Amino acid sequence: MTSSPDHWWRDAVIYQVYVRSFADSDGDGVGDLPGITSRLPYLRDLGVDALWVTPFYTSPQKDHGYDVADYQDVDPLFGSLADADALLARAHELGLRVIVDLVPNHTSDEHVWFRAALASAPGSPERARYLFREGRGKDGSEPPNNWESVFGGAAWTRVPDGEWYLHLFDSTQPDLDWRNPEVGDMFEGVLRFWLARGADGFRVDVAHGLFKEESLRDQVITASGKASSGHVNPDHSMVKRELSDEPMWDQPEVHDVYRRWHKVLDEVGADRMAVAEAWTQTPESMAAFVRPDELDQAFNFSWLLTGWSADGFREVITGTLAAVGPVGASPTWVLSNHDVVRHATRYGGGPQGLARARAATLTMLALPGSSYLYQGEELGLEQADVAHELRQDPAWLRRREGIDDPGRDGCRVPIPWSGTQPPFGFGPGKGQPWIPQPADWAALTVEAQTGVECSTLEFYRAALAARRTFAGTAGDEVEIIGEDHDVLTFRRGPVTVVVNCGTAPVQLPAGEVFAASGELPGGVLPPDTAIWLR
Ligand code: NOJ
């Protein structure tokens, strides 16, 4: 079945919940499923359509849940299967859909399959579910090839009998061998398990990585950093490494997996979806993941890689629409997530960074397709500065210790809900949660911003409400107006969007302003501000 204009995700606003940092129900300082359930009315009132919940499955938490030991159970840290059912049921009652995370590229080293692989001999069927190989060099003491982990260091670890196993991420995240049919069958079971429990969709982790070129040839660009994608944070390992043309990414066989999943989703109901996390080389290769018989959406990371610039934003918008249009998929837009520096900080931080972040958000929300929001951006949170000794991000720990790298902990700090000191209503516990909140977040809590007209939270609420008045009916056409280097202007249906990325105020075009990212003193559009007119 092809994507229909009626599919709910085509114009949805989807809110990403990072489980351990959203809401803590039991006071252990770590967010959990009952915590999320208790805060669902907040999300409904914010005006989003769906939430994507990051992995809450049984896991040793070496990569905070992206290392799954049991795909069909809930980690006790986050609750139980009954809590997952309760979350899904309550969300549906409130009219919210729920997307769960699926991690098919690798398991945890504590998964029963990997334990069995370690306990079995080289060449055994147990080892054949992963990528075990002999080493190179004398005595096989060198890794089978030169691949480097996205998180830094070699992508191979040697086991006591001398074989090596592949892990594109942490050594506790062994890569599965998708050429082994058992792997595909296992994941079909996982899909069906969560669909039967009521999941409305899946976010597919490392969707471009499941298959490795059969030869396992050496990679061309190594982590020593010759690749430069020219984006705002070129040192971010996740971004830099996965954009290069390498034998471990974006292999053609991966598309058969998504054709199979498409059928499974369709069998269960036309309202179930999947969105790919795929760092591909070009908009065209991204579009391949969302062909009519594959996944429904793919995250479009191009905005996240673009600095504050009218020309840059124009390029992102036109490039994205040109890529997904021909395959009939709906575009997606992302400004922040749990892997990158928050956009208020990327745009310079402080009042200017926040003004720009709000303007970019308002621009994004006017566009056709889905907008993915990351928890806390509606509060104007910036990347928190986490002391090196408190960092937990395996990517930072593997490679970055001692280096001035922001890492991913600073965008994962628990949400401030209320009160004047940590944990700011995050949970009933006393003091700091699993990773400390900045002491000066008191003015940023949900409580402090609610009802305050110009607060970032009320701005998001107003923008999402305004979006609802036209997004469903405005169509997919975007008309870019002009080529001004400082000001981006476009029209979508009845709405004209103007964003001032320059340094001087500009005249407001004719029309009624019905959403603005900041104040409009004296009837002009100040720098770092966006408006919607009709
Ligand atoms: C992408 C996820 O977003 C990230 O958090 C994780 O570390 C890697 N995939 C590995 O699963």
Side-chain angles (χ1 to χ4, degrees):
M1 197 187 68
T2 50
S3 203
S4 128
D6 302 331
H7 283 143
W8 64 267
W9 57 86
R10 287 193 73 99
D11 67 347
V13 176
I14 299 163
Y15 183 99
Q16 179 189 352
V17 171
Y18 192 68
V19 182
R20 60 168 47 231
S21 297
F22 189 63
D24 167 23
S25 72
D26 57 10
D28 66 355
V30 179
D32 47 43
L33 298 185
I36 301 173
T37 305
S38 73
R39 295 291 188 181
L40 288 173
Y42 166 79
L43 295 181
R44 183 216 31 213
D45 296 345
L46 181 62
V48 303
D49 302 292
L51 50 152
W52 146 34
V53 187
T54 57
F56 48 80
Y57 320 109
T58 315
S59 158
Q61 302 292 317
K62 295 285 167 45
D63 189 16
H64 291 164
Y66 285 97
D67 48 323
V68 181
D70 184 346
Y71 291 87
Q72 297 185 185
D73 207 349
V74 172
D75 196 290
L77 186 64
F78 301 132
S80 62
L81 273 177
D83 293 327
D85 292 342
L87 190 165
L88 284 157
R90 181 72 181 128
H92 292 156
E93 248 170 50
L94 295 174
L96 295 165
R97 317 254 184 179
V98 182
I99 295 174
V100 298
D101 221 308
L102 188 71
V103 187
N105 178 67
H106 44 264
T107 68
S108 157
D109 61 348
E110 292 188 17
H111 191 278
V112 59
W113 273 8
F114 195 72
R115 288 193 168 155
L118 289 187
S120 305
S124 60
E126 286 80 5
R127 289 221 172 162
R129 294 167 179 147
Y130 294 89
L131 287 146
F132 279 87
R133 291 291 184 275
E134 281 177 7
R136 292 198 287 205
K138 243 202 338 183
D139 313 326
S141 59
E142 285 166 33
N145 64 27
N146 72 346
W147 294 9
E148 295 191 20
S149 154
V150 171
F151 289 170
W156 296 92
T157 290
R158 200 170 195 195
V159 299
D161 60 41
E163 278 206 321
W164 299 74
Y165 67 89
L166 177 73
H167 51 88
L168 292 180
F169 295 88
D170 191 56
S171 57
T172 60
Q173 295 167 297
D175 280 53
L176 288 159
D177 186 354
W178 271 85
R179 295 181 194 277
N180 182 335
E182 271 190 83
V183 173
D185 292 347
M186 193 263 264
F187 277 95
E188 179 168 336
V190 174
L191 282 179
R192 290 189 187 281
F193 178 86
W194 288 105
L195 288 168
R197 298 197 98 92
D200 299 286
F202 298 92
R203 175 263 187 195
V204 183
D205 189 60
V206 199
H208 58 312
L210 312 193
F211 277 82
K212 283 75 187 172
E213 211 177 282
E214 211 157 10
S215 66
L216 298 187
R217 67 171 163 91
D218 274 358
Q219 71 178 122
V220 182
I221 301 170
T222 62
S224 42
K226 279 140 217 151
S228 172
S229 49
H231 56 73
V232 283
N233 182 9
D235 274 333
H236 194 279
S237 54
M238 190 80 57
V239 173
K240 182 174 71 179
R241 298 297 312 288
E242 297 191 34
L243 281 179
S244 50
D245 182 16
E246 296 292 9
M248 65 286 271
W249 308 125
D250 213 0
Q251 301 300 308
E253 295 91 335
V254 82
H255 296 286
D256 291 335
V257 175
Y258 302 132
R259 291 193 188 100
R260 177 173 179 181
W261 291 7
H262 188 99
K263 288 194 192 120
V264 174
L265 293 179
D266 261 7
E267 235 177 72
V268 178
D271 58 347
R272 313 295 176 106
M273 60 84 79
V275 52
E277 186 227 14
W279 292 91
T280 60
Q281 287 240 72
T282 60
E284 292 72 31
S285 51
M286 194 242 305
F289 286 80
V290 292
R291 286 176 287 197
D293 59 347
E294 296 199 32
L295 301 177
D296 302 288
Q297 294 190 323
F299 290 135
N300 163 26
F301 292 123
S302 53
W303 208 322
L304 194 146
L305 303 175
T306 302
W308 175 254
S309 138
D311 288 337
F313 290 1
R314 194 178 294 114
E315 213 175 290
V316 165
I317 294 168
T318 51
T320 302
L321 297 176
V324 296
V327 290
S330 55
T332 65
W333 312 99
V334 184
L335 286 165
S336 279
N337 66 30
H338 66 294
D339 288 331
V340 297
V341 171
R342 284 185 175 277
H343 63 291
T345 305
R346 289 203 315 269
Y347 293 146
Q352 184 179 50
L354 180 58
R356 290 175 170 182
R358 288 167 54 147
T361 298
L362 192 67
T363 309
M364 166 177 90
L365 288 174
L367 289 163
S370 303
S371 288
Y372 283 82
L373 308 180
Y374 177 49
Q375 67 178 38
E377 64 172 80
E378 80 278 18
L379 304 177
L381 297 189
E382 281 203 42
Q383 189 80 359
D385 196 7
V386 179
H388 285 190
E389 63 277 14
L390 298 177
R391 295 213 181 168
Q392 304 196 18
D393 169 12
W396 191 86
L397 293 175
R398 271 180 75 90
R399 190 151 68 160
R400 304 295 185 179
E401 206 155 0
I403 297 177
D404 185 24
D405 179 275
R408 301 181 296 173
D409 292 307
C411 61
R412 299 174 174 184
V413 174
I415 295 298
W417 292 94
S418 58
T420 54
Q421 55 194 24
F424 294 116
F426 169 64
K430 295 242 173 304
Q432 288 289 9
W434 70 274
I435 205 147
Q437 297 162 312
D440 61 359
W441 271 10
L444 298 177
T445 65
V446 171
E447 183 184 53
Q449 296 195 44
T450 295
V452 176
E453 208 189 319
C454 56
S455 72
T456 301
L457 178 57
E458 293 301 348
F459 157 69
Y460 266 75
R461 287 176 172 153
L464 290 170
R467 176 186 159 99
R468 275 180 192 271
T469 65
F470 73 92
T473 51
D476 286 352
E477 293 300 314
V478 172
E479 185 196 345
I480 302 278
I481 300 165
E483 288 183 0
D484 193 300
H485 292 311
D486 288 335
V487 181
L488 167 67
T489 306
F490 65 84
R491 204 174 290 134
R492 177 180 172 218
V495 181
T496 300
V497 178
V498 190
V499 199
N500 185 357
C501 297
T503 51
V506 295
Q507 250 353 89
L508 285 182
E512 174 212 351
V513 176
F514 77 111
S517 67
E519 284 177 35
L520 306 173
V524 293
L525 181 64
D528 305 325
T529 310
I531 45 161
W532 293 353
L533 300 145
R534 64 182 157 200

